[in-house]
Amino acid sequence: MKSSLVSSKNLIRLQSAISRSFLQHSSKPISQTPFFIPIIPTNTINLYNQRYQNLQFQIRSNSTSIMSSSAFKPEQARLPPALPLPSPPLTKFKIGICQLAVTPDKERNIQHARKAIEEAAQKGAQLVVLPEIWNSPYSNDGFPVYAEDIDAGHDASPSTAMLSEVSSRLKITVVGGSIPERCGDKLYNTCCVFGTDGKLKAKHRKIHLFDIDIPGKITFMESKTLTAGETPTIVDTDVGRIGVGICYDIRFQELAMIYASRGAHLLCYPGAFNMTTGPLHWELLQRARAVDNQLYVATCSPARDTGAGYVAWGHSTLVGPFGEVLATTEHDEDIIIAEIDYSILEQRRANLPLAKQRRGDLYQLVDIRRVSAH
Ligand SMILES: NC(=O)CC(=O)C(=O)O
C-alpha cells in the first residue's frame, strides 16, 4: 500500500507508537535523528501486521525517510507472501523419536516398530517419528523386494496398515519414517503421516534423490531404482502443522523455506545419513533449517549396523527454533522422548523478527505450487 492508503488515523497511531518507543530509547527527538531504527513493542507490530498484512507503509519526518519498510519490501521476499503462523491445536506436547535397528526380516521390522511406537506413546508421546526405510535394508537391491503398494493398503502394505492401526488405537499422530513404495512400475521412497484416527493424512515421496559419489568413501545412486516425488508435503495434524522431508531433502533449504512460509511449526525428516557425511553435516543441516526458519526440526535415523551394506550415522535429534539441540542420541537403538513448546516459536520470532527484515527488494523465494494454485 502506498502511504496515501494508510488512513491518517492509523498512521498517527503508528507514528505515536514509534515516538513512544523512541522516547523510551533515546533522548533525541526524531527530527534530529538522521537514521533511526525504531523499537516498537512487538504487540504493536503484530497489530499493524494483522491489519495491514499486504500493505506497505512509509513514514517521513522533515522530508527524511526515517523508516521505509516499503523500500525493503519484506512481505515480497516470499511469493506468495508468507502465511502467518497458525495457532497450533496444542502448545506443549511430547514427541517420540524411535531410532530403530533394521534387519532383512520385514515382518520382524514391522513388529519391532509397532513395539517402539507403543513404548513411546506409553511414555507420553503424542507424536511419534520413525526412521527412513525402517522396514527394509537401505539398498537398491532391497527397495524393489520390500516395496509396498501403499495406495492399495491392507495386505498390499502391511507396514502402513500397522501404522494406521497403532495410531488410531493409541490416538497419536505418526510420521511413519519411510518405506519403499511401489506405484505402477515406479518405486518411491515414501513417508506416510497418520492422524489420531488412523487415517492417512499425507504421503511424501522423497523429492531429492540421494545420488552421491565420493570415491573411496561412499557411492550410492537412489536414482538407479527410485523415482523422485513431485510435491512438497505439509500437513495439519493434532500436533501442529508439519512439513515433511526425507533425508537428502534436508540439504535443500528452499523446501524448508517453503514449509516455513506455509506456516509450519515443525519439520520432520526421517533420514539415514552415512558415516562420511553424517559426522559433518547431519546436525549442522538440522540446526541450519531450524534457526533459519525459526521452527522445530525433528530427525529420525535407523540405528547403526556396521555389518549392513549401508551404514547409518544414527544420531536422531530434536532441534528448537533458536538452533538449539534439545534432545539427541548416539548410534544405537533408542527412543527419544522430548517436549515441544510452540509458544517458543512466537518468542523467538519476536526476538529476531527475520520475516519483517527480509529484503524482498533484493531477493524472492517463489513457492511455485502456491503461485500456480492462485
Ligand atoms: N541418505 C540420504 O538420503 C542423504 C545422505 O546420507 C546425505 O545427504 O549425506
Side-chain angles (χ1 to χ4, degrees):
M1 178 171 81
K2 302 253 165 34
S3 52
S4 58
L5 294 179
V6 180
S7 80
S8 54
K9 206 165 136 200
N10 284 322
L11 191 56
I12 289 162
R13 277 196 201 133
L14 182 55
Q15 279 174 320
S16 62
I18 292 170
S19 304
R20 274 200 307 281
S21 164
F22 178 81
L23 290 172
Q24 281 162 19
H25 296 278
S26 170
S27 53
K28 283 188 183 169
I30 290 175
S31 57
Q32 289 174 21
T33 311
F35 180 73
F36 165 57
I37 301 171
I39 303 160
I40 309 172
T42 313
N43 52 4
T44 310
I45 294 177
N46 286 343
L47 183 73
Y48 276 89
N49 281 351
Q50 273 164 24
R51 288 198 187 148
Y52 307 118
Q53 225 167 35
N54 301 317
L55 311 180
Q56 302 161 23
F57 50 80
Q58 190 170 66
I59 296 170
R60 289 174 183 274
S61 168
N62 289 351
S63 307
T64 305
S65 178
I66 57 164
M67 176 178 153
S68 176
S69 74
S70 61
F72 291 170
K73 302 188 185 343
E75 67 292 327
Q76 288 184 28
R78 300 287 181 264
L79 231 64
L83 300 174
L85 197 65
S87 295
L90 78 187
T91 307
K92 279 190 195 176
F93 66 96
K94 283 187 185 157
I95 183 172
I97 300 174
C98 301
Q99 182 164 295
L100 302 175
V102 177
T103 72
D105 181 345
K106 185 172 174 181
E107 181 51 32
R108 175 266 174 211
N109 293 337
I110 295 173
Q111 296 318 325
H112 193 60
R114 183 202 303 274
K115 277 202 203 109
I117 297 169
E118 287 169 348
E119 187 179 328
Q122 202 246 322
K123 290 180 174 159
Q126 285 175 265
L127 167 65
V128 175
V129 188
L130 296 190
E132 181 182 25
I133 306 290
W134 57 267
N135 71 349
S136 149
Y138 184 84
S139 79
N140 275 314
D141 291 341
F143 297 150
V145 177
Y146 290 75
E148 299 182 7
D149 185 342
I150 295 172
D151 293 341
H154 302 289
D155 292 350
S157 185
S159 302
T160 58
M162 179 279 286
L163 297 179
S164 166
E165 184 279 321
V166 80
S167 56
S168 74
R169 177 163 48 84
L170 302 174
K171 309 256 173 299
I172 56 169
T173 301
V174 173
V175 174
S178 78
I179 63 168
E181 177 195 9
R182 183 182 302 284
C183 182
D185 58 358
K186 293 197 170 132
L187 295 175
Y188 298 93
N189 185 341
T190 303
C191 173
C192 292
V193 179
F194 288 91
T196 51
D197 56 2
K199 294 214 171 99
L200 179 65
K201 288 187 82 76
K203 200 168 77 164
H204 178 78
R205 291 170 168 164
K206 191 172 186 172
I207 292 177
H208 305 92
L209 294 183
F210 177 49
D211 284 356
I212 188 173
D213 186 21
I214 306 178
K217 295 281 188 190
I218 177 171
T219 300
F220 197 96
M221 298 288 155
E222 277 190 328
S223 61
K224 262 190 184 172
T225 54
L226 302 180
T227 300
E230 293 297 332
T231 38
T233 306
I234 185 160
V235 55
D236 281 317
T237 71
D238 289 357
V239 288
R241 189 169 290 179
I242 301 176
V244 183
I246 300 176
C247 203
Y248 204 52
D249 284 338
I250 200 172
R251 289 190 182 268
F252 299 86
Q253 67 267 37
E254 296 87 346
L255 182 64
M257 290 158 77
I258 280 174
Y259 289 151
S261 76
R262 293 187 189 182
H265 300 106
L266 165 69
L267 306 184
C268 287
Y269 293 97
F273 266 44
N274 54 82
M275 301 299 287
T276 304
T277 59
L280 232 74
H281 299 165
W282 178 237
E283 185 182 301
L284 175 73
L285 288 164
Q286 298 171 53
R287 296 184 65 196
R289 298 297 84 89
V291 75
D292 283 354
N293 295 294
Q294 302 185 303
L295 39 62
Y296 282 88
V297 169
T299 58
C300 186
S301 169
R304 189 177 306 164
D305 173 1
T306 48
Y310 181 93
V311 182
W313 170 240
H315 294 260
S316 303
T317 299
L318 176 69
V319 182
F322 210 43
E324 70 278 39
V325 172
L326 294 171
T328 190
T329 186
E330 292 292 326
H331 56 263
D332 290 332
E333 268 211 309
D334 198 7
I335 298 178
I336 298 172
I337 303 289
E339 186 174 81
I340 287 184
D341 179 354
Y342 287 144
S343 68
I344 307 284
L345 297 180
E346 295 289 5
Q347 191 186 314
R348 289 308 181 201
R349 290 171 190 213
N351 298 153
L352 287 167
L354 303 183
K356 300 181 179 88
Q357 298 164 338
R358 294 195 206 288
R359 296 290 303 268
D361 57 328
L362 300 180
Y363 48 76
Q364 291 183 320
L365 176 81
V366 181
D367 183 340
I368 290 170
R369 289 295 165 109
R370 272 181 73 215
V371 165
S372 48
H374 279 96

